[in-house]
Amino acid sequence: MAKTLFCLQGVGFTYGRGIEVFHNLNLKIDEGESVCLLGANGSGKSTLLKILCGLVFPDEGRFEAFGREINEEVMENDRIAQEFHRRVGFIFQNSDAQLFTTRVWDEIAFGPMQLALSRGEVKQRVDDVIQMLKLEELKERSPYLLSGGEKKKVAVASVLVLNPEVLILDEPTNGLDPRTQRWLIDLLLELNHRGCTIITSTHNLELAHALSHRALVLSELHQLVFDGLTSDVLADRNLLQEVNLIDEYCHVHGEGQHIHRYVHN
Ligand SMILES: Nc1ncnc2c1ncn2[C@@H]1O[C@H](COP(=O)(O)OP(=O)(O)OP(=O)(O)O)[C@@H](O)[C@H]1O
Ligand SMILES: [Mg+2]
């Protein structure tokens, strides 16, 4: 049986000034899964992903990762926090929030340099990832001056270079052209095939279908209203409409996998 990686029991989360997002949220994610988190704007996708990657902490209930409780106190231990962030890679919704050096090569090398690796090992890892993601032409450029898609690739590289066991991506295909979307989907499928657990948030139903067997759906009231097969939720027009993932002009036909965002005869 697969090992449970993440377990949320009765989790509540409230932002400052009393903006309650989650109350009594229960969820398990196993090693090796590819899970897609679906929900409209403001439904809580980014907040849930930030809990899973230890950037914010529940104020009710219990969050466990790799069999250990994760909370603010535990993560004050630098050794535990560093180990956790090495195992769980997070790709932000907005790449600008993630990139902070003045050269792509340095950006990718930053994470490995925090580990106990020799300079040669760091260089090898960075060069391998640059080659894998075909970033040779960008490696001397400033991350700030790249296009949105190029920034996303650098953000992905700076996380993959740490060999994470879990990759969490917040709306990864937003703003990417079709070929770059396909590239990212293929990369994520390959990583998942090699055993990396993948958790993505999106409101792109095609992405959910292409990437994940399992879907989680958050309602606009931040409730987890569906946890099951992606094919089942894509076939459930009423639910998709209720949670504002399709509107009345969208429709599903065929096997429920085929979704148009326009009206046709
Ligand atoms: N830093 C914050 N402080 C206060 N409230 C916040 C903060 N970040 C998000 N919220 C609120 O929490 C709720 C969930 O936001 P979240 O960003 O998780 O939604 P989302 O599903 O990721 O939306 P989107 O699709 O627009 O990215 C929203 O009501 C939002 O206004
Ligand atoms: Mg978001």
Side-chain angles (χ1 to χ4, degrees):
M1 224 175 72
K3 250 198 295 184
T4 299
L5 278 193
F6 292 127
C7 180
L8 281 80
Q9 286 170 295
V11 159
F13 180 82
T14 302
Y15 281 111
R17 287 193 241 132
I19 301 171
E20 184 183 75
V21 183
F22 297 120
H23 176 66
N24 194 24
L25 180 65
N26 296 290
L27 176 65
K28 269 192 185 150
I29 295 177
D30 286 344
E31 193 174 58
E33 282 197 279
S34 173
V35 181
C36 196
L37 179 58
L38 293 163
N41 293 139
S43 58
K45 301 182 296 300
S46 295
T47 306
L48 178 51
L49 295 187
K50 283 179 193 162
I51 292 174
L52 294 179
C53 70
L55 289 182
V56 300
F57 305 99
D59 34 45
E60 276 170 29
R62 187 178 169 89
F63 167 47
E64 275 181 25
F66 309 107
R68 141 198 303 268
E69 180 167 13
I70 299 293
N71 56 34
E72 202 159 4
E73 209 183 315
V74 168
M75 293 292 262
E76 273 167 15
N77 179 321
D78 289 344
R79 194 185 51 76
I80 294 175
Q82 196 187 42
E83 175 68 3
F84 181 86
H85 292 303
R86 194 191 56 72
R87 298 177 83 175
V88 183
F90 185 50
I91 314 280
F92 284 70
Q93 183 163 355
N94 171 7
S95 304
D96 285 325
Q98 186 149 7
L99 305 172
F100 59 94
T101 67
T102 52
R103 180 172 168 246
V104 166
W105 200 95
D106 297 336
E107 187 71 44
I108 301 170
F110 182 83
M113 284 194 322
Q114 313 308 307
L115 306 176
L117 298 173
S118 70
R119 286 174 77 95
E121 282 169 317
V122 170
K123 182 172 181 315
Q124 185 66 52
R125 277 206 194 195
V126 174
D127 290 343
D128 286 351
V129 167
I130 285 179
Q131 195 186 13
M132 176 179 157
L133 301 195
K134 301 189 175 69
L135 293 172
E136 283 91 350
E137 305 220 326
L138 302 182
K139 67 183 181 188
E140 299 300 332
R141 302 257 315 264
S142 163
Y144 301 111
L145 304 178
L146 301 177
S147 77
E150 291 167 340
K151 283 180 186 170
K152 184 67 78 185
K153 284 190 175 180
V154 174
V156 170
S158 69
V159 170
L160 283 190
V161 73
L162 294 170
N163 266 332
E165 289 163 49
V166 185
L167 197 54
I168 299 183
L169 304 100
D170 198 356
E171 311 234 12
T173 55
N174 274 13
L176 300 186
D177 64 42
R179 201 178 310 135
T180 313
Q181 285 196 27
R182 186 71 251 169
W183 167 84
L184 186 61
I185 291 168
D186 287 345
L187 175 70
L188 296 177
L189 288 172
E190 172 61 23
L191 291 168
N192 184 237
H193 183 70
R194 289 197 228 153
C196 184
T197 307
I198 309 273
I199 304 168
T200 41
S201 80
T202 188
H203 28 225
N204 177 341
L205 300 180
E206 285 89 350
L207 173 67
H209 170 58
L211 202 59
S212 300
H213 195 58
R214 177 178 171 198
L216 306 170
V217 179
L218 289 171
S219 72
E220 291 182 285
L221 297 174
H222 323 299
Q223 306 278 335
L224 185 61
V225 289
F226 179 91
D227 180 354
L229 294 178
T230 307
S231 52
D232 286 349
V233 75
L234 293 186
D236 191 341
R237 268 194 75 183
N238 290 337
L239 176 63
L240 292 174
Q241 223 165 329
E242 242 167 62
V243 298
N244 189 19
L245 281 166
I246 57 171
D247 67 23
E248 60 189 315
Y249 295 113
C250 295
H251 54 263
V252 181
H253 51 109
E255 293 297 310
Q257 309 279 1
H258 194 86
I259 296 160
H260 294 281
R261 292 225 164 74
Y262 47 83
V263 185
H264 69 86
N265 296 318

